[in-house]
Amino acid sequence: MKHLAVIGCGGWGQNLVRTTHELGFLAAICDTDPARAKTFADTFGVPALSYDEILDNKDITGVILPVPAPLHAKMALQAIAAGKHVFVEKPIAMKVPDAQEMVDAAKKADRILMVGHVLQYHAAFVALTKLVADGALGELRHIRSNRLNFGKVRTEENVFWSFAPHDVSMMLALAGREPVDVKAHYAADLPQSTLAASASAYLDFGQGLKGEIHTSWLNPFKEQKLTVVGTKGMAVFDDTLASDKKLTFYPNSVDFKDGQPVMNKAEAQHIGIPNCQPLTCEIAHFAECIVQNRSPRTDGLEGLRVLKVMQACDKAAGI
């Protein structure tokens, strides 16, 4: 069962190391800091190896790459060339041609390439997609995502690239298609930084469906809310609430009588969801896809589609 190596034990990497170990899949770790590598190796009872040693190890079938985004393409391509399956954190790469090269290499080598869009593995979002697929909301008309907080301000990427890949990923999954038009506005609200601390994007998916994404490091309170509006009902995924209230369905609708809108408000319904940590579900999915040789929910092509939207937003914002 121990067949995965985690490359990078920094901030988010620590969570991936712990989760992979808890699932019984952790075979080795790698980190550029020898002291940190030894600490994690001792803590989880696995060897600390160099990246080359991991790529040469035939017992390690997959690598997990929570490394800086500019390294994603290079390290993923090295792993694929060495015959490894690859889980790479978001974004898949910094440039579309690099991401396309990763997708093509994985396909040619018959290796799995999975992107860490972890909210796609959140039980509340999985239940939300089922509501949409079952027609409970009718035809989708509007999707709005607010991902706001006070910090943590990053220095290597703006707020949109820090937060929005998750929202773009969820929105594309719900829409079932890519946007036909994108508008965006970024604001460098901190006087000592040129990076955007708040950013909004507006996506037109055609056929009457619009989406909007709002992100900020300078909001006085934390908000992680996805609202989906359809012709038969509405749903809200609020990740700041308790698990039994994270997903709420509102069977609200609007009729027209004599040319005037009539608002039909119904009682809200909380949707029960399984108790599974999204990261746990995500890593388990990666391992299952390796064993069963099937494409992940957030495969390389999905990561490529998200990257294209992200870059379209940059262009629309004048970046």
PDB file of all heavy atoms in Angstrom, residues 119 142-148 160 163-164 166-168 170-171 199-201 211-215 223-228 237:
ATOM      1  N   LEU A 119     -11.501  21.243  -3.651  1.00  0.00           N
ATOM      2  CA  LEU A 119     -12.922  21.448  -3.353  1.00  0.00           C
ATOM      3  C   LEU A 119     -13.828  20.602  -4.235  1.00  0.00           C
ATOM      4  O   LEU A 119     -15.003  20.410  -3.912  1.00  0.00           O
ATOM      5  CB  LEU A 119     -13.285  22.930  -3.467  1.00  0.00           C
ATOM      6  CG  LEU A 119     -12.703  23.801  -2.355  1.00  0.00           C
ATOM      7  CD1 LEU A 119     -13.099  25.257  -2.533  1.00  0.00           C
ATOM      8  CD2 LEU A 119     -13.159  23.313  -0.985  1.00  0.00           C
ATOM      9  N   HIS A 142     -27.205  31.379 -12.770  1.00  0.00           N
ATOM     10  CA  HIS A 142     -26.165  32.218 -12.169  1.00  0.00           C
ATOM     11  C   HIS A 142     -25.388  31.404 -11.132  1.00  0.00           C
ATOM     12  O   HIS A 142     -25.969  30.658 -10.345  1.00  0.00           O
ATOM     13  CB  HIS A 142     -26.796  33.442 -11.484  1.00  0.00           C
ATOM     14  CG  HIS A 142     -25.818  34.533 -11.207  1.00  0.00           C
ATOM     15  ND1 HIS A 142     -25.591  35.579 -12.074  1.00  0.00           N
ATOM     16  CD2 HIS A 142     -24.974  34.738 -10.159  1.00  0.00           C
ATOM     17  CE1 HIS A 142     -24.678  36.388 -11.572  1.00  0.00           C
ATOM     18  NE2 HIS A 142     -24.279  35.886 -10.417  1.00  0.00           N
ATOM     19  N   ILE A 143     -24.070  31.551 -11.170  1.00  0.00           N
ATOM     20  CA  ILE A 143     -23.194  30.937 -10.168  1.00  0.00           C
ATOM     21  C   ILE A 143     -22.301  32.037  -9.614  1.00  0.00           C
ATOM     22  O   ILE A 143     -21.619  32.730 -10.374  1.00  0.00           O
ATOM     23  CB  ILE A 143     -22.321  29.820 -10.777  1.00  0.00           C
ATOM     24  CG1 ILE A 143     -23.172  28.800 -11.529  1.00  0.00           C
ATOM     25  CG2 ILE A 143     -21.521  29.124  -9.682  1.00  0.00           C
ATOM     26  CD1 ILE A 143     -22.347  27.772 -12.312  1.00  0.00           C
ATOM     27  N   ARG A 144     -22.304  32.193  -8.321  1.00  0.00           N
ATOM     28  CA  ARG A 144     -21.496  33.244  -7.695  1.00  0.00           C
ATOM     29  C   ARG A 144     -20.644  32.640  -6.579  1.00  0.00           C
ATOM     30  O   ARG A 144     -21.143  31.914  -5.722  1.00  0.00           O
ATOM     31  CB  ARG A 144     -22.385  34.351  -7.119  1.00  0.00           C
ATOM     32  CG  ARG A 144     -21.581  35.486  -6.452  1.00  0.00           C
ATOM     33  CD  ARG A 144     -22.485  36.616  -5.989  1.00  0.00           C
ATOM     34  NE  ARG A 144     -23.452  36.199  -4.976  1.00  0.00           N
ATOM     35  CZ  ARG A 144     -24.738  35.985  -5.197  1.00  0.00           C
ATOM     36  NH1 ARG A 144     -25.243  36.116  -6.419  1.00  0.00           N
ATOM     37  NH2 ARG A 144     -25.540  35.625  -4.227  1.00  0.00           N
ATOM     38  N   SER A 145     -19.363  32.979  -6.593  1.00  0.00           N
ATOM     39  CA  SER A 145     -18.449  32.480  -5.567  1.00  0.00           C
ATOM     40  C   SER A 145     -17.758  33.639  -4.865  1.00  0.00           C
ATOM     41  O   SER A 145     -17.183  34.511  -5.513  1.00  0.00           O
ATOM     42  CB  SER A 145     -17.403  31.558  -6.201  1.00  0.00           C
ATOM     43  OG  SER A 145     -16.504  31.079  -5.211  1.00  0.00           O
ATOM     44  N   ASN A 146     -17.827  33.643  -3.552  1.00  0.00           N
ATOM     45  CA  ASN A 146     -17.104  34.613  -2.722  1.00  0.00           C
ATOM     46  C   ASN A 146     -16.068  33.861  -1.896  1.00  0.00           C
ATOM     47  O   ASN A 146     -16.420  32.972  -1.113  1.00  0.00           O
ATOM     48  CB  ASN A 146     -18.054  35.348  -1.772  1.00  0.00           C
ATOM     49  CG  ASN A 146     -18.953  36.326  -2.493  1.00  0.00           C
ATOM     50  OD1 ASN A 146     -18.734  36.651  -3.652  1.00  0.00           O
ATOM     51  ND2 ASN A 146     -19.987  36.796  -1.812  1.00  0.00           N
ATOM     52  N   ARG A 147     -14.812  34.206  -2.089  1.00  0.00           N
ATOM     53  CA  ARG A 147     -13.730  33.600  -1.291  1.00  0.00           C
ATOM     54  C   ARG A 147     -12.923  34.765  -0.718  1.00  0.00           C
ATOM     55  O   ARG A 147     -12.001  35.288  -1.345  1.00  0.00           O
ATOM     56  CB  ARG A 147     -12.872  32.677  -2.159  1.00  0.00           C
ATOM     57  CG  ARG A 147     -11.924  31.783  -1.343  1.00  0.00           C
ATOM     58  CD  ARG A 147     -11.404  30.647  -2.196  1.00  0.00           C
ATOM     59  NE  ARG A 147     -12.491  29.843  -2.720  1.00  0.00           N
ATOM     60  CZ  ARG A 147     -13.127  28.890  -2.034  1.00  0.00           C
ATOM     61  NH1 ARG A 147     -12.752  28.600  -0.802  1.00  0.00           N
ATOM     62  NH2 ARG A 147     -14.130  28.225  -2.574  1.00  0.00           N
ATOM     63  N   LEU A 148     -13.284  35.143   0.486  1.00  0.00           N
ATOM     64  CA  LEU A 148     -12.786  36.377   1.094  1.00  0.00           C
ATOM     65  C   LEU A 148     -12.231  36.084   2.476  1.00  0.00           C
ATOM     66  O   LEU A 148     -12.722  35.215   3.195  1.00  0.00           O
ATOM     67  CB  LEU A 148     -13.918  37.408   1.203  1.00  0.00           C
ATOM     68  CG  LEU A 148     -14.866  37.546   0.010  1.00  0.00           C
ATOM     69  CD1 LEU A 148     -16.075  38.382   0.383  1.00  0.00           C
ATOM     70  CD2 LEU A 148     -14.138  38.143  -1.182  1.00  0.00           C
ATOM     71  N   PHE A 160      -6.049  36.364  -6.729  1.00  0.00           N
ATOM     72  CA  PHE A 160      -6.849  35.594  -7.659  1.00  0.00           C
ATOM     73  C   PHE A 160      -6.204  34.242  -7.947  1.00  0.00           C
ATOM     74  O   PHE A 160      -6.877  33.207  -7.983  1.00  0.00           O
ATOM     75  CB  PHE A 160      -7.049  36.379  -8.964  1.00  0.00           C
ATOM     76  CG  PHE A 160      -8.201  35.874  -9.791  1.00  0.00           C
ATOM     77  CD1 PHE A 160      -9.506  36.113  -9.399  1.00  0.00           C
ATOM     78  CD2 PHE A 160      -7.981  35.160 -10.953  1.00  0.00           C
ATOM     79  CE1 PHE A 160     -10.582  35.648 -10.146  1.00  0.00           C
ATOM     80  CE2 PHE A 160      -9.041  34.686 -11.712  1.00  0.00           C
ATOM     81  CZ  PHE A 160     -10.346  34.938 -11.304  1.00  0.00           C
ATOM     82  N   PHE A 163      -6.525  32.046  -4.646  1.00  0.00           N
ATOM     83  CA  PHE A 163      -7.847  31.543  -4.268  1.00  0.00           C
ATOM     84  C   PHE A 163      -8.661  30.961  -5.426  1.00  0.00           C
ATOM     85  O   PHE A 163      -9.292  29.923  -5.299  1.00  0.00           O
ATOM     86  CB  PHE A 163      -8.672  32.676  -3.646  1.00  0.00           C
ATOM     87  CG  PHE A 163      -8.287  33.045  -2.251  1.00  0.00           C
ATOM     88  CD1 PHE A 163      -8.819  34.171  -1.644  1.00  0.00           C
ATOM     89  CD2 PHE A 163      -7.379  32.291  -1.513  1.00  0.00           C
ATOM     90  CE1 PHE A 163      -8.479  34.531  -0.354  1.00  0.00           C
ATOM     91  CE2 PHE A 163      -7.021  32.636  -0.224  1.00  0.00           C
ATOM     92  CZ  PHE A 163      -7.581  33.763   0.361  1.00  0.00           C
ATOM     93  N   ALA A 164      -8.693  31.668  -6.543  1.00  0.00           N
ATOM     94  CA  ALA A 164      -9.715  31.432  -7.563  1.00  0.00           C
ATOM     95  C   ALA A 164      -9.606  30.122  -8.354  1.00  0.00           C
ATOM     96  O   ALA A 164     -10.621  29.686  -8.905  1.00  0.00           O
ATOM     97  CB  ALA A 164      -9.760  32.609  -8.534  1.00  0.00           C
ATOM     98  N   HIS A 166      -9.704  27.188  -7.384  1.00  0.00           N
ATOM     99  CA  HIS A 166     -10.725  26.310  -6.827  1.00  0.00           C
ATOM    100  C   HIS A 166     -12.114  26.697  -7.330  1.00  0.00           C
ATOM    101  O   HIS A 166     -12.929  25.837  -7.685  1.00  0.00           O
ATOM    102  CB  HIS A 166     -10.699  26.374  -5.300  1.00  0.00           C
ATOM    103  CG  HIS A 166      -9.444  25.827  -4.694  1.00  0.00           C
ATOM    104  ND1 HIS A 166      -9.003  24.536  -4.912  1.00  0.00           N
ATOM    105  CD2 HIS A 166      -8.525  26.399  -3.874  1.00  0.00           C
ATOM    106  CE1 HIS A 166      -7.873  24.328  -4.254  1.00  0.00           C
ATOM    107  NE2 HIS A 166      -7.561  25.441  -3.630  1.00  0.00           N
ATOM    108  N   ASP A 167     -12.382  28.001  -7.359  1.00  0.00           N
ATOM    109  CA  ASP A 167     -13.700  28.472  -7.761  1.00  0.00           C
ATOM    110  C   ASP A 167     -13.927  28.271  -9.255  1.00  0.00           C
ATOM    111  O   ASP A 167     -15.022  27.897  -9.681  1.00  0.00           O
ATOM    112  CB  ASP A 167     -13.853  29.947  -7.384  1.00  0.00           C
ATOM    113  CG  ASP A 167     -13.593  30.165  -5.904  1.00  0.00           C
ATOM    114  OD1 ASP A 167     -14.386  29.674  -5.094  1.00  0.00           O
ATOM    115  OD2 ASP A 167     -12.581  30.801  -5.564  1.00  0.00           O
ATOM    116  N   VAL A 168     -12.892  28.531 -10.045  1.00  0.00           N
ATOM    117  CA  VAL A 168     -13.001  28.284 -11.484  1.00  0.00           C
ATOM    118  C   VAL A 168     -13.255  26.803 -11.735  1.00  0.00           C
ATOM    119  O   VAL A 168     -14.105  26.431 -12.552  1.00  0.00           O
ATOM    120  CB  VAL A 168     -11.729  28.751 -12.213  1.00  0.00           C
ATOM    121  CG1 VAL A 168     -11.758  28.316 -13.675  1.00  0.00           C
ATOM    122  CG2 VAL A 168     -11.579  30.265 -12.118  1.00  0.00           C
ATOM    123  N   MET A 170     -14.687  24.551  -9.755  1.00  0.00           N
ATOM    124  CA  MET A 170     -16.066  24.202  -9.387  1.00  0.00           C
ATOM    125  C   MET A 170     -17.063  24.756 -10.393  1.00  0.00           C
ATOM    126  O   MET A 170     -18.034  24.084 -10.774  1.00  0.00           O
ATOM    127  CB  MET A 170     -16.377  24.712  -7.978  1.00  0.00           C
ATOM    128  CG  MET A 170     -15.658  23.982  -6.867  1.00  0.00           C
ATOM    129  SD  MET A 170     -16.265  24.424  -5.213  1.00  0.00           S
ATOM    130  CE  MET A 170     -15.723  26.138  -5.073  1.00  0.00           C
ATOM    131  N   MET A 171     -16.827  25.986 -10.840  1.00  0.00           N
ATOM    132  CA  MET A 171     -17.759  26.622 -11.766  1.00  0.00           C
ATOM    133  C   MET A 171     -17.787  25.891 -13.101  1.00  0.00           C
ATOM    134  O   MET A 171     -18.858  25.692 -13.695  1.00  0.00           O
ATOM    135  CB  MET A 171     -17.371  28.089 -11.941  1.00  0.00           C
ATOM    136  CG  MET A 171     -18.521  28.979 -12.348  1.00  0.00           C
ATOM    137  SD  MET A 171     -18.142  30.750 -12.154  1.00  0.00           S
ATOM    138  CE  MET A 171     -18.333  30.954 -10.385  1.00  0.00           C
ATOM    139  N   ALA A 199      -9.766  40.830  -6.198  1.00  0.00           N
ATOM    140  CA  ALA A 199      -9.960  40.605  -7.631  1.00  0.00           C
ATOM    141  C   ALA A 199     -11.320  39.978  -7.868  1.00  0.00           C
ATOM    142  O   ALA A 199     -11.799  39.166  -7.062  1.00  0.00           O
ATOM    143  CB  ALA A 199      -8.857  39.700  -8.187  1.00  0.00           C
ATOM    144  N   SER A 200     -11.929  40.368  -8.974  1.00  0.00           N
ATOM    145  CA  SER A 200     -13.225  39.811  -9.361  1.00  0.00           C
ATOM    146  C   SER A 200     -13.192  39.437 -10.833  1.00  0.00           C
ATOM    147  O   SER A 200     -12.510  40.078 -11.637  1.00  0.00           O
ATOM    148  CB  SER A 200     -14.354  40.824  -9.121  1.00  0.00           C
ATOM    149  OG  SER A 200     -14.476  41.130  -7.744  1.00  0.00           O
ATOM    150  N   ALA A 201     -13.918  38.390 -11.165  1.00  0.00           N
ATOM    151  CA  ALA A 201     -14.020  37.951 -12.561  1.00  0.00           C
ATOM    152  C   ALA A 201     -15.476  37.647 -12.871  1.00  0.00           C
ATOM    153  O   ALA A 201     -16.242  37.201 -12.006  1.00  0.00           O
ATOM    154  CB  ALA A 201     -13.162  36.713 -12.793  1.00  0.00           C
ATOM    155  N   GLY A 211     -21.489  33.651 -14.505  1.00  0.00           N
ATOM    156  CA  GLY A 211     -20.775  33.344 -13.271  1.00  0.00           C
ATOM    157  C   GLY A 211     -19.951  34.522 -12.820  1.00  0.00           C
ATOM    158  O   GLY A 211     -19.509  35.340 -13.639  1.00  0.00           O
ATOM    159  N   GLU A 212     -19.749  34.643 -11.522  1.00  0.00           N
ATOM    160  CA  GLU A 212     -18.882  35.693 -10.994  1.00  0.00           C
ATOM    161  C   GLU A 212     -18.096  35.151  -9.810  1.00  0.00           C
ATOM    162  O   GLU A 212     -18.587  34.338  -9.025  1.00  0.00           O
ATOM    163  CB  GLU A 212     -19.683  36.932 -10.594  1.00  0.00           C
ATOM    164  CG  GLU A 212     -20.817  36.694  -9.624  1.00  0.00           C
ATOM    165  CD  GLU A 212     -21.602  37.969  -9.350  1.00  0.00           C
ATOM    166  OE1 GLU A 212     -21.051  38.852  -8.659  1.00  0.00           O
ATOM    167  OE2 GLU A 212     -22.747  38.063  -9.811  1.00  0.00           O
ATOM    168  N   ILE A 213     -16.851  35.583  -9.728  1.00  0.00           N
ATOM    169  CA  ILE A 213     -15.938  35.146  -8.673  1.00  0.00           C
ATOM    170  C   ILE A 213     -15.357  36.375  -7.997  1.00  0.00           C
ATOM    171  O   ILE A 213     -14.828  37.263  -8.668  1.00  0.00           O
ATOM    172  CB  ILE A 213     -14.799  34.286  -9.249  1.00  0.00           C
ATOM    173  CG1 ILE A 213     -15.352  33.034  -9.932  1.00  0.00           C
ATOM    174  CG2 ILE A 213     -13.803  33.896  -8.159  1.00  0.00           C
ATOM    175  CD1 ILE A 213     -14.309  32.247 -10.710  1.00  0.00           C
ATOM    176  N   HIS A 214     -15.458  36.434  -6.675  1.00  0.00           N
ATOM    177  CA  HIS A 214     -14.904  37.549  -5.912  1.00  0.00           C
ATOM    178  C   HIS A 214     -13.912  37.007  -4.893  1.00  0.00           C
ATOM    179  O   HIS A 214     -14.224  36.091  -4.127  1.00  0.00           O
ATOM    180  CB  HIS A 214     -16.020  38.321  -5.192  1.00  0.00           C
ATOM    181  CG  HIS A 214     -17.074  38.841  -6.118  1.00  0.00           C
ATOM    182  ND1 HIS A 214     -16.860  39.909  -6.958  1.00  0.00           N
ATOM    183  CD2 HIS A 214     -18.339  38.420  -6.365  1.00  0.00           C
ATOM    184  CE1 HIS A 214     -17.955  40.143  -7.664  1.00  0.00           C
ATOM    185  NE2 HIS A 214     -18.858  39.246  -7.342  1.00  0.00           N
ATOM    186  N   THR A 215     -12.701  37.559  -4.898  1.00  0.00           N
ATOM    187  CA  THR A 215     -11.653  37.126  -3.979  1.00  0.00           C
ATOM    188  C   THR A 215     -11.032  38.343  -3.294  1.00  0.00           C
ATOM    189  O   THR A 215     -10.958  39.422  -3.891  1.00  0.00           O
ATOM    190  CB  THR A 215     -10.539  36.357  -4.714  1.00  0.00           C
ATOM    191  OG1 THR A 215      -9.938  37.229  -5.698  1.00  0.00           O
ATOM    192  CG2 THR A 215     -11.087  35.133  -5.421  1.00  0.00           C
ATOM    193  N   GLU A 223     -15.204  34.442   4.367  1.00  0.00           N
ATOM    194  CA  GLU A 223     -16.375  33.978   3.628  1.00  0.00           C
ATOM    195  C   GLU A 223     -15.921  33.031   2.523  1.00  0.00           C
ATOM    196  O   GLU A 223     -15.061  33.370   1.715  1.00  0.00           O
ATOM    197  CB  GLU A 223     -17.149  35.152   3.025  1.00  0.00           C
ATOM    198  CG  GLU A 223     -18.430  34.716   2.307  1.00  0.00           C
ATOM    199  CD  GLU A 223     -19.280  35.876   1.835  1.00  0.00           C
ATOM    200  OE1 GLU A 223     -19.008  37.022   2.258  1.00  0.00           O
ATOM    201  OE2 GLU A 223     -20.215  35.646   1.048  1.00  0.00           O
ATOM    202  N   GLN A 224     -16.517  31.841   2.531  1.00  0.00           N
ATOM    203  CA  GLN A 224     -16.246  30.842   1.492  1.00  0.00           C
ATOM    204  C   GLN A 224     -17.591  30.279   1.054  1.00  0.00           C
ATOM    205  O   GLN A 224     -18.056  29.260   1.564  1.00  0.00           O
ATOM    206  CB  GLN A 224     -15.334  29.735   2.021  1.00  0.00           C
ATOM    207  CG  GLN A 224     -13.949  30.216   2.417  1.00  0.00           C
ATOM    208  CD  GLN A 224     -13.084  29.114   2.986  1.00  0.00           C
ATOM    209  OE1 GLN A 224     -13.556  28.033   3.316  1.00  0.00           O
ATOM    210  NE2 GLN A 224     -11.793  29.372   3.120  1.00  0.00           N
ATOM    211  N   LYS A 225     -18.219  30.976   0.123  1.00  0.00           N
ATOM    212  CA  LYS A 225     -19.610  30.667  -0.213  1.00  0.00           C
ATOM    213  C   LYS A 225     -19.799  30.581  -1.725  1.00  0.00           C
ATOM    214  O   LYS A 225     -19.391  31.467  -2.467  1.00  0.00           O
ATOM    215  CB  LYS A 225     -20.523  31.748   0.375  1.00  0.00           C
ATOM    216  CG  LYS A 225     -22.008  31.456   0.241  1.00  0.00           C
ATOM    217  CD  LYS A 225     -22.837  32.594   0.850  1.00  0.00           C
ATOM    218  CE  LYS A 225     -22.626  32.692   2.340  1.00  0.00           C
ATOM    219  NZ  LYS A 225     -23.505  33.733   2.939  1.00  0.00           N
ATOM    220  N   LEU A 226     -20.425  29.501  -2.145  1.00  0.00           N
ATOM    221  CA  LEU A 226     -20.759  29.286  -3.549  1.00  0.00           C
ATOM    222  C   LEU A 226     -22.279  29.226  -3.661  1.00  0.00           C
ATOM    223  O   LEU A 226     -22.921  28.362  -3.052  1.00  0.00           O
ATOM    224  CB  LEU A 226     -20.138  27.978  -4.047  1.00  0.00           C
ATOM    225  CG  LEU A 226     -20.374  27.611  -5.516  1.00  0.00           C
ATOM    226  CD1 LEU A 226     -19.589  28.549  -6.433  1.00  0.00           C
ATOM    227  CD2 LEU A 226     -19.956  26.157  -5.773  1.00  0.00           C
ATOM    228  N   THR A 227     -22.849  30.133  -4.446  1.00  0.00           N
ATOM    229  CA  THR A 227     -24.295  30.204  -4.623  1.00  0.00           C
ATOM    230  C   THR A 227     -24.651  29.852  -6.058  1.00  0.00           C
ATOM    231  O   THR A 227     -24.073  30.397  -7.003  1.00  0.00           O
ATOM    232  CB  THR A 227     -24.820  31.615  -4.296  1.00  0.00           C
ATOM    233  OG1 THR A 227     -24.462  31.953  -2.949  1.00  0.00           O
ATOM    234  CG2 THR A 227     -26.324  31.695  -4.451  1.00  0.00           C
ATOM    235  N   VAL A 228     -25.595  28.936  -6.214  1.00  0.00           N
ATOM    236  CA  VAL A 228     -26.008  28.482  -7.545  1.00  0.00           C
ATOM    237  C   VAL A 228     -27.506  28.738  -7.690  1.00  0.00           C
ATOM    238  O   VAL A 228     -28.306  28.280  -6.861  1.00  0.00           O
ATOM    239  CB  VAL A 228     -25.705  26.988  -7.754  1.00  0.00           C
ATOM    240  CG1 VAL A 228     -26.036  26.573  -9.179  1.00  0.00           C
ATOM    241  CG2 VAL A 228     -24.246  26.688  -7.442  1.00  0.00           C
ATOM    242  N   PHE A 237     -23.458  26.531  -0.994  1.00  0.00           N
ATOM    243  CA  PHE A 237     -22.399  25.755  -0.342  1.00  0.00           C
ATOM    244  C   PHE A 237     -21.569  26.744   0.454  1.00  0.00           C
ATOM    245  O   PHE A 237     -20.822  27.527  -0.109  1.00  0.00           O
ATOM    246  CB  PHE A 237     -21.580  25.036  -1.413  1.00  0.00           C
ATOM    247  CG  PHE A 237     -20.260  24.455  -0.945  1.00  0.00           C
ATOM    248  CD1 PHE A 237     -20.035  24.103   0.379  1.00  0.00           C
ATOM    249  CD2 PHE A 237     -19.225  24.243  -1.864  1.00  0.00           C
ATOM    250  CE1 PHE A 237     -18.821  23.567   0.789  1.00  0.00           C
ATOM    251  CE2 PHE A 237     -18.011  23.716  -1.468  1.00  0.00           C
ATOM    252  CZ  PHE A 237     -17.803  23.378  -0.141  1.00  0.00           C
TER     253      PHE A 237
END
